[in-house]
């Protein structure tokens, strides 16, 4: 299970989130990820608004207010070409928590993370974008987004689906019908960054009942492994 | 006035400073110079709220505090804060006798100071909030 091994690899990274605030936090529940440690420190109420400091081992990754962090955890969804001003802020947030394995992402959070990747691909405007859909219906729901991505850009888009789907009206998109169980169990997406390798990103999530365990990454080695897993 | 009868006389005492405690009484010019920047007001508030801290923790807190109005604060901005702490703010606050800094262990403690000085530090902090919320 090549896609599973990507989640396993990411899970070995240790992310620490130090919470500073005057009241209790439910971040521990929200970050019920296997590789995240939450430390809470209580500040007197006349101090700053609550914030978190995120680190990978001893390395400081970033500080962000709890309000902004919650935006990431309960995102609003905009299509890629409408993210504009919000995009940079989103990107900074996403990069703070890349390679963090979430054990309880819902569809909305995954959709938002997917939008971040689609937005990058749209902005870079060329390169290779591979996306897996767990069902015909899941692809249908995103058909308009992908039609727009394909018509506005020369992106090389590859869609992986488990069954035959109506594709005649989608020039610029290559459909791969992959009747393997792995494709059906995963929500995945990978973008190679086109001519800008720093824009590489990928998302892999495994469905578990109504929620997903998954990770997004900007690590070129992991992105490459997603492509390899999908193309094999 | 002794510490014991403070609560009973509170209303009356709120308006007058008691500097009779044994702690160092900072020179007013030095004290208000220490409080002259946002970063030092935040530092002093934090060391007052925590018995002991480290330069790394203080840099984290100041970066986080910044993020509450400025969005995500990344590693390079946090490094700038840490350098500024080391070269400017910590030496100044040590010289003002407001903090004690162990440069080897990189630990910071609030210096012994009379309650009125603590009050001034807390009020200076609150004033930042008031200005921010009305501005």
């Amino acid at each position: 299970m090549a896609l599973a091994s990507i989640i396993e690899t990411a899970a070995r990274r240790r992310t620490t989130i130090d919470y500073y605030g005057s009241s209790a936090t439910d971040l521990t529940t929200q970050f019920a990820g296997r590789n995240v440690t939450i430390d809470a420190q209580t500040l007197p109420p006349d101090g700053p608004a609550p914030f978190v400091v995120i680190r990978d081992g001893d390395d400081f990754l970033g500080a962000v207010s709890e309000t902004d962090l919650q935006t990431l955890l309960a995102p609003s969804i905009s299509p890629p070409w409408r993210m504009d001003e919000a995009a940079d802020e989103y990107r900074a947030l996403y990069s703070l928590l890349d390679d963090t394995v979430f054990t309880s992402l819902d569809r909305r959070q995954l959709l938002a993370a997917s939008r971040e990747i689609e937005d990058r691909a749209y902005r870079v405007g060329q390169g290779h974008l591979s996306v897996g859909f767990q069902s015909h219906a899941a692809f249908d729901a995103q058909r308009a987004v992908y039609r727009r991505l394909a018509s506005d850009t020369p992106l090389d888009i590859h869609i992986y689906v488990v069954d035959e789907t109506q594709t005649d009206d989608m020039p610029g998109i290559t459909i791969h019908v992959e009747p393997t169980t792995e494709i059906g169990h995963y929500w995945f997406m990978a973008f190679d960054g086109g001519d800008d390798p720093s824009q590489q990103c990928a998302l892999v999530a495994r469905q578990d009942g109504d929620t997903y365990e998954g990770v997004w990454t900007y690590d070129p080695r992991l992105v490459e492994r997603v492509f390899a897993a999908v193309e094999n | 006035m002794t510490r014991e009868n403070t609560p009973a006389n509170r209303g009356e005492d709120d308006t007058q400073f008691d500097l009779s405690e044994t702690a160092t009484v900072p020179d007013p010019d030095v004290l208000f110079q220490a409080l002259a920047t946002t970063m030092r007001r935040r530092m002093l508030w934090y060391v007052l709220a925590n018995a002991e801290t480290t330069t790394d923790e203080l840099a984290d807190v100041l970066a986080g505090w910044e993020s509450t109005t400025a969005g995500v604060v990344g590693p390079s901005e946090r490094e700038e804060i840490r350098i500024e702490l080391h070269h400017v703010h910590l030496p100044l606050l040590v010289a003002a006798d407001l903090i004690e800094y162990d440069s080897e262990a990189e630990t910071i403690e609030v210096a012994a100071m009379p309650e009125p000085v603590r009050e001034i530090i807390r009020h200076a902090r609150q004033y930042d909030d008031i200005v921010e919320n009305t501005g």
Side-chain angles (χ1 to χ4, degrees), chain A residues 51-110:
Chain A
F51 60 85
V52 299
V53 171
I54 300 170
R55 65 180 81 251
D56 172 17
D58 286 337
D59 294 336
F60 176 95
L61 297 178
V64 64
S65 71
E66 198 193 11
T67 313
D68 286 347
L69 187 64
Q70 294 300 342
T71 311
L72 179 70
L73 299 174
S76 62
I77 317 282
S78 314
W81 46 88
R82 281 212 214 113
M83 288 181 74
D84 296 338
E85 308 93 62
D88 290 337
E89 186 68 10
Y90 255 132
R91 197 155 297 169
L93 275 171
Y94 275 106
S95 65
L96 282 181
L97 292 167
D98 76 319
D99 294 352
T100 297
V101 176
F102 289 89
T103 52
S104 57
L105 288 171
D106 60 25
R107 290 190 60 81
R108 186 174 183 79
Q109 289 166 318
L110 274 179

Side-chain angles (χ1 to χ4, degrees), chain B residues 13-76:
Chain B
D13 286 343
D14 271 352
T15 54
Q16 83 184 53
F17 282 167
D18 169 23
L19 292 171
S20 65
E21 292 169 76
T22 51
T24 319
V25 178
D27 175 84
D29 287 351
V30 171
L31 175 62
F32 286 104
Q33 191 204 351
L35 290 167
T37 71
T38 305
M39 196 181 277
R40 289 200 294 269
R41 287 191 291 278
R42 290 174 176 180
M43 287 169 71
L44 283 170
W45 179 87
Y46 191 74
V47 295
L48 207 57
N50 293 270
E52 186 182 287
T53 184
T54 62
T55 44
D56 269 338
E57 182 179 285
L58 201 49
D60 281 358
V61 167
L62 294 169
W65 205 318
E66 183 72 17
S67 78
T68 61
T69 53
V72 175
V73 172
S76 61

